[in-house]
Amino acid sequence: MRRLLLFIYALIAMFALTGCIGEEEYTDNPQGNFEALWHIIDEHYCFFNYKNIDWNEIHARYAKQMNGNMTERQQFEVLTNMLSELKDGHVNLYTTFDLGRYWSWREKFPNNFSDTLTRKYLGTDYHIASGIQYRILDDNIGYLRCSSFANGIGTGSLDDILLYLAPCNGLIIDIRSNSGGQLTSAETLASRFTNDRILVGYIQHKIGKGHNDFSSMKEQWLKPGNGLRWQKRAVVLTNRSVYSAANEFVKYMKQCPFVTVVGDKTGGGAGLPFSSELPNGWSVRFSACPMYDKNKESSEFGIEPHHNVSLTADDFTKGKDTIIEYARALLSCK
């Protein structure tokens, strides 16, 4: 019996060893950190083919800029510039002194959002629950402001919010400048706008080191939420700074009945991010799992609204939010 157990343990150990993938060791110096970062992205990033990126050419170009006498900040600048070639807001380099980022996906576009105007519509007597601000506007239209999905949204809070807004003729859900957070929070909110289980998209996972080594597409389903669900028309407000989990929320909501999306094209961010570490301790985050809409199209570069509406300078000077007013007009129509 003892020999049998030893044999079984030996088999388990053998399979455990053969099932592990050895990671190449890199030296903690400028060249070693560069090679480590390049290989991490090369083996795990998910949008090379979709974005037509020649990662080998980028290696050759940036490797020439690395030398053993570089300071940490010089290393950081070169590595961040290399990562920016991916044109991905989910790609970040974290150090103790700075955050490497690519924000051109929103910085080069109109903001189409004003904190000043939002505060005017909310007033001072609005309600707050699970980080969501809400009130009833003077035309009996509900207004719900969700600025982030960073924290969980309580089901009890959603019941209370929707019960309070139930007498309204329609509902505005303002997620402009919501840069994302937890996918579960986006799903929790969206689940209150469907009575049926609906297909909203697909996701893939990286299964090898090749640029196109992905699993088959797995369906994403939005299930009706437990508790109160909205049964009237709703309008989701978007701008270019809607990203990541908020981008997914728009993807879900476009499949829900009685929902219209108004505003600007979203910023995108359709890659589920993961993290790794360089020899010097710096962390890198990157998109590793691509997500798609119902038609198997990537929304990495954003989702178009049903109605493209921009905040005008004339309305701003009048204290009006063009996008909110457009939504109110839609919901007021019989």
Side-chain angles (χ1 to χ4, degrees):
M1 184 65 177
R2 178 182 173 83
R3 288 184 179 180
L4 178 60
L5 288 174
L6 288 174
F7 178 70
I8 293 172
Y9 293 151
L11 282 177
I12 293 172
M14 181 180 70
F15 284 117
L17 287 172
T18 56
C20 294
I21 299 174
E23 293 291 339
E24 189 172 351
E25 294 289 333
Y26 296 96
T27 306
D28 182 8
N29 59 35
Q31 288 87 353
N33 289 314
F34 171 82
E35 291 296 334
L37 179 60
W38 186 89
H39 279 90
I40 288 169
I41 299 300
D42 181 60
E43 295 173 5
H44 302 290
Y45 185 69
C46 67
F47 289 125
F48 283 120
N49 292 341
Y50 179 68
K51 296 181 179 179
N52 196 27
I53 295 170
D54 187 342
W55 195 234
N56 289 318
E57 183 279 328
I58 290 171
H59 178 280
R61 182 151 40 95
Y62 282 90
K64 299 175 183 178
Q65 302 179 37
M66 305 300 296
N67 66 76
N69 297 319
M70 300 175 78
T71 65
E72 280 194 331
R73 290 182 181 272
Q74 289 171 332
Q75 291 181 62
F76 175 81
E77 181 179 358
V78 174
L79 297 183
T80 298
N81 288 341
M82 181 178 72
L83 292 176
S84 293
E85 299 277 357
L86 300 172
K87 295 179 171 56
D88 191 327
H90 270 149
V91 176
N92 301 106
L93 185 61
Y94 298 90
T95 75
T96 58
F97 56 85
D98 206 349
L99 169 66
R101 70 262 183 200
Y102 176 82
W103 284 349
S104 294
W105 53 270
R106 63 174 171 81
E107 289 176 330
K108 296 180 179 180
F109 297 86
N111 197 24
N112 282 320
F113 177 74
S114 165
D115 281 325
T116 301
L117 293 181
T118 300
R119 287 196 298 270
K120 180 176 180 180
Y121 282 87
L122 281 171
T124 57
D125 58 346
Y126 59 88
H127 308 279
I128 306 175
S130 285
I132 295 174
Q133 302 167 314
Y134 63 102
R135 70 164 304 147
I136 299 175
L137 303 178
D138 55 16
D139 54 356
N140 201 39
I141 298 295
Y143 178 76
L144 185 156
R145 169 70 181 150
C146 181
S147 59
S148 175
F149 288 121
N151 300 310
I153 298 177
T155 56
S157 293
L158 280 181
D159 285 341
D160 289 337
I161 292 170
L162 295 178
L163 180 62
Y164 179 82
L165 298 173
C168 296
N169 297 328
L171 177 62
I172 295 172
I173 307 159
D174 192 346
I175 63 162
R176 288 177 296 173
S177 297
N178 182 330
S179 60
Q182 302 178 25
L183 274 177
T184 52
S185 295
E187 292 171 4
T188 297
L189 182 56
S191 70
R192 298 305 185 99
F193 294 86
T194 179
N195 294 321
D196 301 303
R197 184 172 177 263
I198 52 177
L199 177 67
V200 292
Y202 298 85
I203 187 170
Q204 288 181 298
H205 299 279
K206 203 77 161 56
I207 56 175
K209 295 183 178 182
H211 288 185
N212 204 34
D213 290 344
F214 296 105
S215 67
S216 58
M217 288 190 178
K218 181 181 178 182
E219 295 175 341
Q220 291 176 299
W221 291 86
L222 181 65
K223 300 176 183 178
N226 295 325
L228 292 178
R229 293 194 291 271
W230 188 257
Q231 306 294 332
K232 304 174 186 178
R233 290 183 297 168
V235 175
V236 177
L237 307 187
T238 60
N239 67 348
R240 190 66 186 180
S241 293
V242 170
Y243 196 75
S244 192
N247 189 72
E248 284 291 287
F249 175 77
V250 176
K251 183 179 86 174
Y252 303 156
M253 293 296 281
K254 287 194 80 170
Q255 301 305 318
C256 293
F258 313 120
V259 174
T260 305
V261 180
V262 170
D264 200 357
K265 183 179 181 179
T266 64
L272 197 64
F274 286 86
S275 298
S276 189
E277 189 173 295
L278 306 188
N280 62 0
W282 295 353
S283 295
V284 58
R285 184 179 75 148
F286 53 91
S287 299
C289 296
M291 295 180 287
Y292 307 87
D293 65 16
K294 185 180 180 180
N295 300 316
K296 298 184 179 180
E297 297 292 332
S298 175
S299 58
E300 166 68 3
F301 292 127
I303 299 172
E304 293 285 354
H306 293 111
H307 301 270
N308 198 306
V309 181
S310 296
L311 181 62
T312 68
D314 185 51
D315 277 344
F316 182 82
T317 59
K318 296 176 180 177
K320 293 183 178 180
D321 187 312
T322 315
I323 301 173
I324 292 179
E325 293 301 328
Y326 189 96
R328 294 174 80 173
L330 280 180
L331 293 171
S332 297
C333 294
K334 299 295 185 181

